Amino acid sequence: MQRASRLKRELSLLTTEPPPGITCWENENQLDDLRAQILGSADTPYEKGIFNLEIVVPERYPFEPPKIRFLTPIYHPNIDSAGRICLDVLKLPPKGAWRPSLNISTLLTSIQLLMAEPNPDDPLMADISSEYKYNKQLFLLNAKEWTEKYASQ
């Protein structure tokens, strides 16, 4: 019961006061199956891209983090080809930094931030990570190309 009322409150806040460049909604009226869109931030290779995400809210939420993955392909060192995201707030301690005080809005904002500032030292995609570190121009070119190919409307 607590989970449902918290999710309703979070979704209503995401609807009335969404973080800039982020939208989130229920998928087919399922409170535990959400969809989100993140707009690529200006001055990043993802600029003008619209990235779709799937959010699966576990039974034990907020004591367990939601499972979030990209549905739109994205060229990024911390996001793999299945859309999985390597981000500490998406994992439980001791390896992760998830806390019940965090919410879906915070997570989506953190993902948006990760898109703008990849963490090449904790990669899911080693090849993209070394490209980001040692040949940034090529990385930016590839990321921009993927954004135009998969994330433009």
Side-chain angles (χ1 to χ4, degrees):
M1 192 59 222
Q2 207 176 6
R3 169 180 174 256
S5 62
R6 173 167 166 161
L7 276 169
K8 282 196 176 87
R9 199 169 57 245
E10 280 190 42
L11 274 171
S12 125
L13 256 175
L14 274 161
T15 308
T16 55
E17 302 167 39
I22 294 174
T23 49
C24 184
W25 64 94
E26 283 178 58
N27 186 38
E28 296 170 5
N29 291 327
Q30 298 286 318
L31 249 187
D32 53 2
D33 182 19
L34 310 175
R35 292 292 178 268
Q37 276 187 340
I38 296 180
L39 300 178
S41 303
D43 305 321
T44 73
Y46 311 110
E47 186 172 3
K48 293 191 175 86
I50 297 174
F51 297 88
N52 293 304
L53 293 91
E54 169 189 74
I55 303 167
V56 177
V57 183
E59 213 38 65
R60 293 192 60 240
Y61 182 80
F63 302 104
E64 208 175 283
K67 305 239 178 303
I68 303 181
R69 71 183 187 95
F70 275 79
L71 297 173
T72 306
I74 181 172
Y75 194 84
H76 194 287
N78 308 106
I79 302 160
D80 72 10
S81 53
R84 291 182 303 230
I85 306 161
C86 182
L87 186 62
D88 59 352
V89 289
L90 295 174
K91 295 188 287 253
L92 284 166
K95 284 191 168 134
W98 170 257
R99 295 185 315 278
S101 59
L102 295 172
N103 60 34
I104 291 168
S105 180
T106 318
L107 293 179
L108 291 171
T109 305
S110 301
I111 292 168
Q112 190 181 40
L113 211 62
L114 179 72
M115 285 169 68
E117 293 173 29
N119 176 2
D121 299 323
D122 188 18
L124 266 181
M125 304 296 278
D127 49 341
I128 298 176
S129 172
S130 62
E131 191 178 278
Y132 180 83
K133 277 180 166 172
Y134 306 113
N135 191 348
K136 195 130 183 210
Q137 283 314 107
L138 183 62
F139 165 79
L140 292 170
L141 199 75
N142 284 329
K144 207 177 173 87
E145 210 170 88
W146 275 50
T147 300
E148 285 164 13
K149 187 172 176 183
Y150 300 109
S152 41
Q153 290 302 307

